């Protein structure tokens, strides 16, 4: 049944099962976001460049994963893609546990943590691509913005809850406790995925993944720019707080998640109503302002506010550019289109980690947030071109 209301909240009930599935899957990986950089830096004795490599590894595998996930979802339906994503998420916790057995062999431990991050990329790419394709088939393409809006709320809600939860687990039970939780939590929604009604794909000819990338390349370029700015917060915010002697580094990630959710709840209806490009134009400038505030922050409170603005701006930019991407895709290849669109995010996140780490070593951690602000602001040029 298609939902024809323009209200964002009109889509909440139909999308609630999808939100629950993606929340549980992302919660497991969100718990590790503030823990892994400190584990690699403090427990394993690695520098910021290696921290960037470890955190960016996820997005290399996610790029490849989306090629498979979108094609499988379009050809065979999204259910099996979601199941693989949840099982892969469980596997990341297992690999983290195995890495602890090599505490006296640092190189092996780092390699296993990188392997877990690579598996995380597969898990998230399969899970998010399947849920987006499934939900858009349920509501229809006219409600793409609402689908992106509510699924994004679930994703960033999971990150916002998972970050302090992961820190609390780490403080109480160490890295082992975080790994066990990451292994068990994705098992919770598996039964629901198997029971949910699935819209089977039709027998239409489907575009190849690389062909769909060509269709969505301009929105994808905008996504790369604003995702690079977002990556600076997720990868380096905790280390910046430590370097400046501030407490509450994990709250920067929580603030970013809160900003994301509030922006979606207040303004998530706008991309479907006034156009994705117009919303993106304002959103990337808000994101840039947030990154600049973190760079110039005299204390943690201003940095938390900057992270919230960064999250809110990114939320609406991702949604607005996603609406523009789906408009340019063949109707029978929307799963591949969403995979191709988000693949641009993966490229940005994969490169931002190591490049940001090298920049931090050369010019200090604060510099990565200034560069992130410039990149986000550059997304305004893409939005203007999309409007034309």
């Amino acid at each position: 049944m298609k939902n024809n209301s323009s209200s964002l909240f009109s889509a909440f009930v139909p999308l609630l099962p999808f939100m629950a599935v993606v929340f549980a899957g992302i919660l497991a990986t969100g718990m590790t976001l503030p823990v892994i950089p400190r584990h690699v830096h403090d427990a394993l004795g690695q520098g910021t460049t290696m921290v960037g490599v470890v955190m960016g590894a996820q997005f290399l595998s996610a790029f490849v994963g989306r090629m498979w996930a979108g094609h499988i979802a379009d050809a065979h339906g999204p259910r099996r893609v979601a199941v693989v994503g949840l099982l892969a998420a469980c596997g990341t916790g297992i690999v983290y546990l195995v890495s602890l057995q090599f505490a006296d062999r640092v190189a092996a431990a780092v390699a296993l943590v990188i392997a877990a991050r690579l598996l995380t990329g597969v898990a998230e790419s399969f899970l998010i691509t399947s849920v987006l394709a499934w939900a858009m088939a349920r509501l229809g393409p006219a409600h793409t913005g609402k689908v992106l809006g509510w699924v994004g709320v679930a994703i960033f809600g999971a990150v916002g809850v998972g970050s302090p939860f992961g820190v609390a687990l780490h403080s109480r039970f160490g890295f082992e406790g975080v790994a066990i939780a990451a292994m068990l939590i994705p098992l919770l929604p598996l039964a629901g995925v198997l029971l949910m009604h699935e819209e089977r794909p039709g027998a239409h000819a489907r575009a190849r993944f690389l062909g769909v990338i060509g269709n969505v390349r301009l929105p994808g370029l905008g996504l790369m720019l604003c995702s690079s700015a977002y990556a600076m917060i997720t990868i380096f915010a905790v280390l910046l707080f430590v370097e400046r002697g501030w407490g509450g580094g994990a709250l920067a990630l929580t603030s970013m998640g809160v900003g994301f959710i509030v922006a979606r709840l207040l303004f998530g209806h706008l991309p479907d109503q006034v156009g994705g490009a117009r919303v993106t134009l304002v959103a990337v400038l808000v994101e840039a302002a947030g990154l600049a505030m973190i760079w110039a922050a005299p204390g943690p409170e201003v940095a938390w506010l900057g992270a919230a603005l960064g999250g809110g701006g990114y939320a609406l930019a991702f949604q607005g550019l996603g609406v523009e991407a789906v408009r340019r895709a063949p109707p029978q290849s929307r799963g591949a289109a969403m995979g191709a669109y988000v693949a641009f995010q993966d490229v940005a996140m994969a490169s931002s980690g190591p490049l940001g780490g090298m920049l931090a070593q050369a010019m200090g951690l604060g510099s990565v947030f200034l560069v992130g602000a410039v990149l986000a602001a550059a997304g305004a040029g893409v939005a203007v071109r999309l409007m034309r």
Side-chain angles (χ1 to χ4, degrees):
M1 182 172 124
K2 309 299 182 193
N3 192 328
N4 294 316
S5 171
S6 62
S7 168
L8 180 70
F9 289 91
S10 66
F12 178 76
V13 173
L15 290 175
L16 189 57
F18 303 103
M19 294 168 63
V21 169
V22 82
F23 181 89
I26 302 302
L27 178 65
T29 57
M31 291 187 306
T32 67
L33 277 177
V35 173
I36 294 298
R38 296 201 66 176
H39 177 70
V40 173
H41 189 270
D42 299 341
L44 300 180
Q46 304 301 300
T48 56
T49 299
M50 181 55 69
V51 170
V53 169
V54 170
M55 298 304 289
Q58 166 187 346
F59 304 100
L60 290 173
S61 59
F63 178 83
V64 178
R66 289 186 213 283
M67 295 185 186
W68 299 339
H71 174 74
I72 295 170
D74 286 332
H76 304 289
R79 188 197 312 278
R80 68 176 67 183
V81 182
V83 169
V84 172
L86 290 170
L87 292 177
C90 297
T92 63
I94 295 173
V95 179
Y96 284 135
L97 283 174
V98 173
S99 74
L100 290 173
Q101 308 307 310
F102 294 84
D104 56 341
R105 296 167 56 187
V106 172
V110 171
L112 285 167
V113 172
I114 291 175
R117 293 292 296 168
L118 290 169
L119 188 56
T120 298
V122 174
E124 290 196 358
S125 62
F126 270 63
L127 183 61
I128 293 173
T129 300
S130 66
V131 167
L132 289 174
W134 204 339
M136 281 194 288
R138 179 73 58 85
L139 266 69
H143 301 283
T144 298
K146 298 182 186 68
V147 171
L148 289 168
W150 281 118
V151 172
V153 166
I155 291 171
F156 275 80
V159 173
V161 172
S163 294
F165 184 44
V167 170
L169 281 176
H170 188 259
S171 299
R172 181 77 182 272
F173 302 106
F175 189 64
E176 182 179 13
V178 177
I180 292 173
M183 177 181 64
L184 297 178
I185 289 175
L187 295 174
L188 298 176
L190 264 178
V193 167
L194 294 173
L195 293 173
M196 286 165 57
H197 173 70
E198 181 181 36
E199 286 74 14
R200 299 296 298 174
H204 304 286
R206 296 173 181 86
R208 292 182 178 272
F209 181 87
L210 293 178
V212 175
I213 281 186
N215 292 336
V216 303
R217 64 184 181 277
L218 188 56
L221 173 60
L223 182 62
M224 284 183 65
L225 292 169
C226 62
S227 294
S228 296
Y230 158 75
M232 301 309 178
I233 302 176
T234 60
I235 297 175
F236 298 107
V238 173
L239 295 179
L240 179 74
F241 272 64
V242 173
E243 180 184 78
R244 294 184 176 179
W246 300 338
L251 289 178
L253 301 180
T254 301
S255 298
M256 181 181 65
V258 170
F260 188 104
I261 292 170
V262 170
R264 286 281 173 90
L265 293 179
L266 294 180
F267 308 111
H269 61 288
L270 292 178
D272 285 333
Q273 290 186 1
V274 305
R278 291 183 179 181
V279 173
T280 299
L281 178 59
V282 177
V284 293
L285 296 178
V286 172
E287 184 185 13
L291 270 291
M293 287 177 65
I294 298 174
W295 167 66
E301 295 82 6
V302 175
W304 292 331
L305 179 59
L309 288 176
Y314 181 69
L316 296 176
F318 185 101
Q319 188 180 7
L321 291 165
V323 169
E324 297 291 336
V326 170
R327 284 178 51 200
R328 290 160 169 75
Q332 68 274 16
S333 299
R334 291 196 177 102
M338 290 314 303
Y341 168 65
V342 182
F344 284 91
Q345 179 196 54
D346 298 329
V347 173
M349 300 289 278
S351 58
S352 296
L355 291 176
M358 289 187 287
L359 181 63
Q361 282 192 329
M363 302 181 63
L365 277 165
S367 64
V368 302
F369 296 94
L370 179 59
V371 170
V374 172
L375 292 172
V382 175
V384 169
R385 184 170 178 183
L386 287 168
M387 291 168 62
R388 292 175 178 171

